[in-house]
Amino acid sequence: MPQENIVTRFPPSPTGYLHIGGARTALFNWLFSRQKGGKFVLRIEDTDRERSSEEATRAILESMEWLGLDWDEGPYFQSRRNDIYDAAIEKLLSIAQAYHCHCTTEILEQKRKEASSKGLKPKYDGQCRDLGLGPAPGSVVRLKTPLNGVTQFNDLVKGPISFDNEELDDLILRRSDGSPTYHLAVVADDINLGITYVIRGDDHVNNTPRQILIYKALGEPLPRYAHLPMILGPDKHRLSKRHGAMSVLEYRDMGCLPHALLNSLARLGWSHGDQEKFTREELIETFSLENVGKAAGVFNLEKLLDLNGWHIRESSDQFLVKELTPFLDRLGLENPGEEMLMKVVAILKVRSKTLVEMAEGARFLFQKEIDYDKKGDDKFLKPNVLRLLEELLGELEKTPEFTHTGLEKTFTAFLEEKEIKLRKIAQPLRVALTGKTASPGIFEVMELLGKDKVLERLRRAITHIQTKE
RNA sequence: GGUCCCAUCGUCUAGCGGUCUAGGAUAUCGGCCUCUCACGCCGGAGACACGGGUUCGAUUCCCGUUGGGACUACCA
């Protein structure tokens, strides 16, 4: 039983798809709560109605589900929780920790300009702070932040961090249209939902003192904070669209396994000694905030692909059959049924870094008529092997058992009689049967294809070579 | 500009004062295995940003420089 009630949360704003930075934040929150036997809450921060969309919300939920990051509560939608924010604002107002401000945006804008032209910090000057103003159309509510002193917290990954309160100004809590601002909504929600650990990107470090001040003004206990380093693009800049694949769903469509993406994301910024490969269970077991690094990191696709290959190899055939099916559909290949797919997956898993590759590798089996790869055709389907292939065809016709062992017997005898090495015939045969120069072992290929198709394709290749002359 | 954060191989990282001629992973380059591809195995090349301290001793602690990032909105 956990001594402490641990509640973490992931609060994406639905202004776009779930990208890998967000996914990692979600993952760390999820891992932490799962390990500690706590709760993981999902909250959609859609207070900015201009930029939020239902489509984005759906994409985020779909991503979370695909990743297997299940939540215990929610999704809560901030757009439907106004009473909570209003209550918090009213409380602050009633205990004189907040006040109405009548300054217009024009005036504020002008003041900011003046201040920065004089080289001063462009912060709110507290004009309405002590005027005791009441609500008025177009007015906002601001927090009365302390004029001096420091606000500090002990970040679970970065250590102690402190800010002079002088640096902070009286931030807006309620906009002139009556809606709550981000800072107020976050704090009010986190209090309401009983969040005890705020694990988020370190782009929020500077927001933390503002939020702490709201907690304090409200007289509520603070959560613990852990700020994760950012994920950067290859140019070391913050991840953005121009860095290619960003959306979690793109990785799914690329043929990644969710566990592999999770593994890769976990290792970006967190480590457990020299271990690189983790199953989901191992991640839950070994994860710790203490081992989260402080420096931002670049996301490496190649490493993900390597990990993906490993996770594919580690996966059960049955699981892979299920995962592979949509990718076969996408290639327009006929589904040959589970029994056949189990065999296919078994020989393809060792040579596939993605499910897309795996489906591609299975193509020759399920495609009615194969195309010869140009290079393979030129290099291996030449008249000088015509004789050999014809003789082989004869042998294969006589082979009763089209299994790996049966075929191997036929070949051993054939090669011995012809006094040649397998390599002499394997490549031409491979191109004849698969159209490609790379494939699983030639005996596996023949067994899977079955006698009829093998003979048919071999005959076709022979005709094909004959027309070359 | 101000505030805050960060800094080990190309990339992800281990390292929490001596064990570092700095370890692992990936990528890369050789080689082995071998019917091709892949897997696997063996090996090579490749990093402590710089400058001061502290210390008998700094990759590890402190300060500065440089570089990067975040925030600085009635966006989240």
Side-chain angles (χ1 to χ4, degrees), chain A residues 130-397:
Chain A
D130 297 311
L131 264 34
L133 268 17
S139 71
V140 300
V141 174
R142 288 182 184 270
L143 180 74
K144 218 179 244 184
T145 60
L147 272 4
N148 42 46
V150 295
T151 296
Q152 51 191 313
F153 61 100
N154 187 40
D155 193 275
L156 264 17
V157 346
K158 301 208 182 258
I161 298 177
S162 73
F163 293 81
D164 286 332
N165 289 337
E166 286 174 52
E167 298 296 331
L168 279 13
D169 60 2
D170 289 353
L171 79 169
I172 293 174
L173 265 19
R174 175 149 64 200
R175 299 188 189 105
S176 52
D177 68 357
S179 65
T181 57
Y182 164 71
H183 290 295
L184 186 275
V186 164
V187 173
D189 265 332
D190 285 347
I191 291 170
N192 179 268
L193 300 170
I195 306 301
T196 59
Y197 280 79
V198 173
I199 303 170
R200 70 216 317 190
D202 73 5
D203 48 338
H204 287 288
V205 168
N206 289 277
N207 290 331
T208 306
R210 300 175 213 286
Q211 294 176 11
I212 287 179
L213 257 15
I214 300 178
Y215 273 99
K216 286 188 170 162
L218 248 13
E220 295 286 343
L222 298 176
R224 306 268 271 153
Y225 289 98
H227 287 97
L228 311 172
M230 300 270 87
I231 297 182
L232 309 176
D235 56 0
K236 302 265 189 167
H237 284 270
R238 192 182 183 162
L239 218 43
S240 71
K241 284 117 235 145
R242 67 174 190 280
H243 292 123
M246 283 281 301
S247 164
V248 164
L249 264 18
E250 282 178 66
Y251 288 95
R252 177 193 65 187
D253 297 341
M254 216 179 269
C256 281
L257 256 26
H259 295 195
L261 220 211
L262 254 23
N263 187 164
S264 148
L265 253 20
R267 279 291 289 104
L268 214 191
W270 170 81
S271 61
H272 182 67
D274 282 341
Q275 189 174 352
E276 298 282 347
K277 291 157 179 173
F278 295 84
T279 62
R280 170 185 305 248
E281 290 65 36
E282 285 173 324
L283 284 176
I284 293 174
E285 242 171 72
T286 57
F287 180 76
S288 71
L289 289 171
E290 299 82 70
N291 290 319
V292 173
K294 297 179 182 185
V298 176
F299 181 73
N300 191 211
L301 180 65
E302 279 155 342
K303 201 149 180 173
L304 167 62
L305 291 178
D306 177 71
L307 240 20
N308 201 48
W310 181 79
H311 281 273
I312 285 177
R313 273 173 262 138
E314 291 291 303
S315 295
S316 73
D317 296 349
Q318 188 139 34
F319 170 75
L320 289 174
V321 166
K322 201 177 86 221
E323 297 292 307
L324 179 65
T325 304
F327 291 90
L328 291 174
D329 293 345
R330 216 159 72 183
L331 290 182
L333 300 173
E334 210 174 304
N335 192 325
E338 172 145 358
E339 196 187 338
M340 179 62 177
L341 282 182
M342 288 287 281
K343 292 185 196 163
V344 173
V345 153
I347 63 162
L348 248 27
K349 65 199 275 188
V350 69
R351 60 200 99 223
S352 306
K353 283 208 187 318
T354 67
L355 294 169
V356 168
E357 264 185 48
M358 192 180 267
E360 197 55 52
R363 172 169 236 143
F364 75 93
L365 286 165
F366 310 132
Q367 194 152 299
K368 296 260 175 312
E369 192 144 311
I370 53 164
D371 302 312
Y372 299 125
D373 169 71
K374 175 88 171 70
K375 264 160 76 185
D377 184 9
D378 293 345
K379 190 169 176 192
F380 296 112
L381 296 186
K382 293 200 295 198
N384 64 351
V385 293
L386 187 56
R387 188 68 203 263
L388 216 47
L389 289 178
E390 282 169 342
E391 287 173 337
L392 180 65
L393 177 62
E395 292 304 316
L396 290 175
E397 279 167 342

Side-chain angles (χ1 to χ4, degrees), chain A residues 75-100:
Chain A
Y76 293 107
F77 291 84
Q78 286 192 324
S79 58
R80 298 176 206 161
R81 292 164 62 80
N82 259 318
D83 44 339
I84 289 165
Y85 315 130
D86 282 338
I89 293 168
E90 291 310 321
K91 179 174 179 189
L92 256 9
L93 243 15
S94 74
I95 57 177
Q97 291 289 342
Y99 61 93
H100 294 281

